Amino acid sequence: MHRREFLAAAGAVAGAAVLGADPAGSETLYNGIELPSPWPPKFAELPRDPVTPPYLKSWPAVIPIDVGRQLLVDDFLVEETTLQRTFHTPKEHADNPLVRPDKDWEKKGKGGMAMVFSDGVWYDPKDRLYKMWYLGGYGAGTCYATSQDGLKWEKPELDVRKGTNIVQSDTRDSCTVWFDLEEKDPKRRYKLFRSHGEAGRFGLSVYFSEDGVHWGERVLRTGSCGDRTTVFWNPFRKVWVYSLRHGWGQPRKRRYWEVKDILKGAQWERIDEPPLWCGSDRFDPQRDDLKTVCELYNLDCVAYESLLLGLFSIWRGDKNLPPGRPKPNEVCVGFSRDSWHWHRPERKPFLAVSEKPGDWNWGNVQSAGGCCLVVGDQLWFYHSGRAGSPEKGATRDTGGSTGLAVLRRDGFASLDAGKDGGTLTTRPVRFAGKHLFVNADVPDGELTAEVLDERGQVVAGLARADCVPARADKTLQAVTWKDGDLAKVAGKTVKFRFHLKDGRLFAFWVSPDKSGASHGYVAAGGPGLTGPLDTVGRPAT
């Protein structure tokens, strides 16, 4: 579907099912967006048509851009452009899968499993290690692996269950491990949310750890929820969000529950008490071989730069076709700037199943907790897949491994120009920094910029004619002017106008530092980064 048709269809139903949205007493976010009150919104039902986020229909008068790189995945920052948007997907690593079920304890149950079922893959800046938690064995427990480079993984022999890398042997379904660098108590730095049945119902058991290996006694049991339930930290609003699976005998969808204190408020009384949040819709394409209406199987989220990144596991049907194939679930991508509404302009799989029987990801591709890591100029997406059993249909939901897909940093979408060139003018923005940076691919073209004041006039000294053209393919490159920087307009309302020829623009941002540090969130971290925010800039690339 053409982008304009998509927005027209989505806009027709925007907000139609929202109950009780009241602007009075609303909360204003870091990007100028106002949340409705009461919060969260209440839906009578989820529409089958996509809902356009309110912030893409009515924009803040001025958009603050001090938090993070400003990604061009939507028109939130775009007032006018002649550039064409292109969406991009990551490339599977040639050595996939990187982690296979090769230990005896990983082969329990229906068959081998060494796969992230959300779980978590994080980079620890103190230990300078990649750390992975994953499902070891079919529903058997949680295992732990480490890596120096993120490619070659070791399964250390630990003292939790001697001679193995098992860190928690309790039975489980889905699981989330969150490495919380904002936590002040070191004994609670790692948080584990285990989904399992107890007393006739599913729920999450919560645990803390200082090292991610030795987990204490359970500190919390949540209210009732579906098995494939996950959790994430929303640092923009400082809340823990339970992404609750809903749906047995009806379409799978997500309910929402947030708490500020992780030890309080997660005991909802009824499974339908948490409000409906999101689901699949009619724009999610059905498979030709199954012809089944899609459903939302899971939603993992993380803060990346200036927005929330969502990895949507889309269930496309389950008819054991062909025999031995696991569910052909795939991961699609979405973005949110208000912590609630999702913009999903691209519906092709972001992390896809293979259509070749016997491949490690022939079915049931699932995302990892933490979603992605920032590794130099790239984003690394660890994910699982299942090989199934083409010759043994009864044990088809097995053979789980973990692989990696790689995307350019900020590379979800670009605004592109050909040899004739084009322009992009932003909406009114405000910032405190003085150095402009871009993520752009222009080795055979060029990018220049100018700054407009509130009257739409070019600011003296910051004209296009004074701009030093950017002519490189770099995820971090400065845009400068011959006689100055942005200090003269810091704190004022301005617009940027970018002129692009024969190239692609992925993101822009203004930094207080010459290093280009974005002071945005870096998902699950990465080498060279020191915390949850990019305070490093160029050295980390």
Side-chain angles (χ1 to χ4, degrees):
M1 177 175 287
H2 191 278
R3 178 176 168 277
R4 291 178 181 174
E5 294 175 322
F6 177 97
L7 292 176
V13 296
V18 178
L19 305 179
D22 180 1
S26 59
E27 173 186 348
T28 301
L29 298 179
Y30 61 100
N31 52 16
I33 294 173
E34 289 191 358
L35 301 184
S37 178
W39 178 267
K42 300 295 190 298
F43 284 79
E45 60 181 15
L46 294 180
R48 284 297 298 163
D49 288 314
V51 174
T52 299
Y55 58 79
L56 293 182
K57 299 193 302 173
S58 178
W59 297 265
V62 179
I63 301 174
I65 59 170
D66 287 319
V67 177
R69 298 181 178 209
Q70 306 300 309
L71 276 63
L72 299 170
V73 296
D74 56 29
D75 287 341
F76 179 66
L77 289 149
V78 180
E79 182 175 85
E80 184 179 4
T81 187
T82 59
L83 307 179
Q84 297 298 313
R85 183 174 283 113
T86 303
F87 290 94
H88 307 278
T89 55
K91 182 179 180 180
E92 294 286 334
H93 196 276
D95 294 335
N96 279 344
L98 303 181
V99 180
R100 303 169 182 264
D102 54 11
K103 302 294 185 182
D104 289 342
W105 54 91
E106 296 173 341
K107 300 175 183 179
K108 288 189 173 182
K110 293 182 180 180
M113 291 287 186
M115 50 167 256
V116 288
F117 200 27
S118 285
D119 292 278
V121 186
W122 299 83
Y123 186 83
D124 186 333
K126 181 180 179 181
D127 295 344
R128 297 185 179 181
L129 279 177
Y130 295 81
K131 297 181 177 182
M132 177 188 296
W133 292 261
Y134 64 92
L135 173 62
Y138 197 95
T142 302
C143 294
Y144 172 74
T146 62
S147 176
Q148 297 283 346
D149 61 4
L151 300 175
K152 297 178 181 179
W153 289 87
E154 297 181 358
K155 300 175 181 180
E157 292 188 5
L158 305 171
D159 60 0
V160 178
R161 186 170 165 183
K162 195 171 181 180
T164 76
N165 66 332
I166 297 173
V167 296
Q168 196 175 73
S169 56
D170 298 316
T171 59
R172 47 160 286 192
D173 186 81
S174 178
C175 185
T176 304
V177 176
W178 204 267
F179 181 32
D180 185 5
L181 288 174
E182 295 188 46
E183 174 63 65
K184 293 181 172 54
D185 183 350
K187 296 184 183 300
R188 295 168 48 166
R189 183 61 56 85
Y190 295 88
K191 298 171 174 64
L192 186 150
F193 305 82
R194 178 171 67 100
S195 174
H196 64 102
E198 183 177 294
R201 69 174 179 85
F202 257 85
L204 297 181
S205 291
V206 184
Y207 308 83
F208 295 146
S209 174
E210 187 170 2
D211 60 6
V213 173
H214 302 92
W215 297 91
E217 297 296 320
R218 181 169 73 185
V219 297
L220 175 72
R221 179 68 173 169
T222 70
S224 181
C225 58
D227 51 3
R228 189 68 173 98
T229 287
T230 51
V231 183
F232 68 96
W233 170 245
N234 180 348
F236 299 118
R237 299 189 56 247
K238 305 300 180 187
V239 294
W240 290 97
V241 177
Y242 289 85
S243 174
L244 303 168
R245 181 202 164 161
H246 172 91
W248 280 284
Q250 56 182 304
R252 298 168 178 86
K253 59 194 75 168
R254 307 307 280 185
R255 290 183 178 270
Y256 178 98
W257 194 264
E258 70 174 46
V259 295
K260 290 188 177 295
D261 185 337
I262 200 169
L263 294 177
K264 298 178 181 178
Q267 288 82 21
W268 46 90
E269 295 183 1
R270 307 179 316 277
I271 195 169
D272 61 348
E273 181 181 356
L276 289 170
W277 183 20
C278 55
S280 182
D281 59 48
R282 69 179 182 88
F283 281 11
D284 288 310
Q286 299 180 26
R287 288 182 62 95
D288 292 337
D289 56 348
L290 298 181
K291 300 189 184 303
T292 303
V293 175
C294 297
E295 301 175 9
L296 179 55
Y297 195 85
N298 177 55
L299 174 55
D300 279 321
C301 305
V302 76
Y304 176 68
E305 292 294 349
S306 57
L307 45 70
L308 275 184
L309 168 66
L311 297 183
F312 290 68
S313 294
I314 301 297
W315 179 90
R316 302 196 191 279
D318 183 18
K319 296 180 180 177
N320 196 18
L321 295 175
R325 184 175 193 172
K327 305 169 188 174
N329 300 328
E330 297 179 296
V331 176
C332 297
V333 70
F335 312 95
S336 180
R337 297 182 186 272
D338 69 355
S339 306
W340 177 269
H341 295 92
W342 291 99
H343 183 54
R344 297 180 55 213
E346 178 56 74
R347 298 308 177 95
K348 67 183 179 182
F350 190 72
L351 302 170
V353 296
S354 168
E355 299 300 332
K356 182 181 177 182
D359 276 359
W360 76 277
N361 57 346
W362 192 38
N364 220 339
V365 171
Q366 301 281 336
S367 53
C371 294
C372 65
L373 292 92
V374 180
V375 183
D377 290 325
Q378 299 175 333
L379 297 180
W380 285 17
F381 291 84
Y382 292 93
H383 58 288
S384 61
R386 305 190 198 190
S389 51
E391 299 177 357
K392 301 176 182 179
T395 57
R396 65 194 180 95
D397 197 24
T398 185
S401 301
T402 301
L404 171 66
V406 177
L407 183 73
R408 180 193 183 98
R409 186 169 180 177
D410 311 330
F412 304 99
S414 61
L415 288 176
D416 307 340
K419 295 186 181 301
D420 293 334
T423 62
L424 182 161
T425 304
T426 70
R427 301 187 190 280
V429 299
R430 187 177 296 141
F431 47 83
K434 60 180 181 179
H435 303 286
L436 177 63
F437 292 87
V438 295
N439 179 341
D441 176 8
V442 284
D444 301 316
E446 69 173 31
L447 180 145
T448 55
E450 57 190 345
V451 181
L452 311 179
D453 62 20
E454 289 185 284
R455 299 171 299 163
Q457 302 298 311
V458 176
V459 176
L462 300 176
R464 180 189 182 190
D466 301 315
C467 185
V468 180
R471 297 190 177 109
D473 180 4
K474 293 182 179 180
T475 62
L476 187 160
Q477 50 187 314
V479 177
T480 61
W481 289 266
K482 297 175 183 177
D483 298 317
D485 53 31
L486 297 176
K488 67 175 70 177
V489 294
K492 299 180 180 180
T493 298
V494 299
K495 297 178 184 179
F496 289 109
R497 178 173 291 151
F498 294 99
H499 298 261
L500 181 65
K501 182 178 180 181
D502 201 11
R504 294 176 168 178
L505 175 63
F506 293 87
F508 72 92
W509 66 101
V510 177
S511 174
D513 312 310
K514 288 186 177 180
S515 68
S518 71
H519 298 273
Y521 289 92
V522 290
L529 298 166
T530 58
L533 297 171
D534 172 16
T535 58
V536 177
R538 188 173 285 107
T541 64

